[in-house]
């Protein structure tokens, strides 16, 4: 079985990927890391996730090993630099 996950990309990630919204299909039991790996290759432009990337599933911050469920929304937030 597979599940469908909506992925939102913010700030510089959106620019790198060429889109702010992706939808990916993953096998049941997939994790946030699996979704990120898939998203990097399924965007209009291939991109690389920064090491300090933050992830939120359904508006709750999670670790990369968190399991996903069908219909989840994964938000990927790049590191913020200020000045």
């Amino acid at each position: 079985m597979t599940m469908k996950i909506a992925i939102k990309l913010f700030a510089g990630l959106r620019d790198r990927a060429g889109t702010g919204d992706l939808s990916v299909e993953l096998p049941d039991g997939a994790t946030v890391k699996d979704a990120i790996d898939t998203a990097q290759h399924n965007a209009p432009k291939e991109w690389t996730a920064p090491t300090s990337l933050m992830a939120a599933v359904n508006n709750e911050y999670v670790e990369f090993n968190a399991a996903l469920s069908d219909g989840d929304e994964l938000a990927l937030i790049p590191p913020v630099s200020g000045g």
Side-chain angles (χ1 to χ4, degrees):
M1 299 269 308
T2 61
M3 58 181 160
K4 197 168 216 170
I5 304 298
I7 300 177
K8 302 278 188 188
L9 302 173
F10 293 95
L13 288 182
R14 179 179 36 226
D15 297 336
R16 284 187 218 159
T19 185
D21 296 291
L22 289 169
S23 181
V24 297
E25 279 196 35
L26 300 166
D28 284 344
T31 65
V32 168
K33 182 177 180 339
D34 296 328
I36 293 169
D37 291 345
T38 301
Q40 290 178 112
H41 303 291
N42 287 311
K45 296 191 269 184
E46 199 162 308
W47 56 281
T48 302
T51 55
S52 55
L53 186 68
M54 304 247 340
V57 175
N58 302 326
N59 299 314
E60 300 275 335
Y61 286 106
V62 295
E63 299 293 326
F64 283 13
N65 63 353
L68 295 167
S69 299
D70 189 46
D72 279 348
E73 180 183 85
L74 171 61
L76 299 177
I77 304 118
V80 178
S81 59

